[in-house]
Amino acid sequence: MSAKESGFKFKEKVDTYEIIYKMTNSINGLAKGNLTRTANIYGTSRNRLRDILKRRVSPPTLDTLCIWINNLYVKTGVRVVITLTPDFKTYYSIIDDRKNKIEGVIEKTKT
């Protein structure tokens, strides 16, 4: 086995850009001056969050997204529920402290 084949690489990746954008928007993190506060809530840097929102870098993995969702709930009370199906459809629901609900589905794009 060569060096390239030895590491386990995912061939399929769940697109998490939209979920992060909606989570950030639900706490008014997209407003001017709030990106640093939002990045601190998630536990990442402001530049990394900005690059993710502008789709300049690869989206965070599901384990990182789960950490961000936990931090968001603990620090702001916003609840996020994600359901993944075997055909790579991602259903999400975001409920903020004012009981506003954002729901959506992300379907895997055909490449």
Side-chain angles (χ1 to χ4, degrees), residues 31 78 82:
V78 175
I82 296 176

Side-chain angles (χ1 to χ4, degrees), residues 16-50:
T16 58
Y17 287 123
E18 184 178 335
I19 298 170
I20 293 171
Y21 180 83
K22 299 278 176 96
M23 285 171 31
T24 305
N25 194 26
S26 71
I27 59 171
N28 200 18
L30 298 174
K32 188 172 184 174
N34 289 347
L35 200 59
T36 303
R37 178 184 63 88
T38 304
N40 287 337
I41 290 171
Y42 292 156
T44 188
S45 70
R46 179 187 157 283
N47 291 332
R48 172 80 175 149
L49 180 59
R50 183 190 68 224

Side-chain angles (χ1 to χ4, degrees), residues 17-101:
Y17 287 123
E18 184 178 335
I19 298 170
I20 293 171
Y21 180 83
K22 299 278 176 96
M23 285 171 31
T24 305
N25 194 26
S26 71
I27 59 171
N28 200 18
L30 298 174
K32 188 172 184 174
N34 289 347
L35 200 59
T36 303
R37 178 184 63 88
T38 304
N40 287 337
I41 290 171
Y42 292 156
T44 188
S45 70
R46 179 187 157 283
N47 291 332
R48 172 80 175 149
L49 180 59
R50 183 190 68 224
D51 288 343
I52 290 169
L53 292 173
K54 292 188 176 188
R55 296 181 181 230
R56 293 182 188 156
V57 296
S58 63
T61 58
L62 287 175
D63 57 339
T64 303
L65 181 63
C66 290
I67 292 169
W68 289 14
I69 288 171
N70 181 49
N71 290 343
L72 185 67
Y73 178 69
V74 168
K75 294 178 181 176
T76 65
V78 175
R79 290 177 285 169
V80 180
V81 178
I82 296 176
T83 305
L84 300 169
T85 60
D87 58 349
F88 285 94
K89 285 185 182 178
T90 306
Y91 297 90
Y92 63 89
S93 176
I94 302 170
I95 305 167
D96 63 9
D97 55 350
R98 296 178 302 269
K99 304 296 185 219
N100 295 333
K101 191 173 192 178

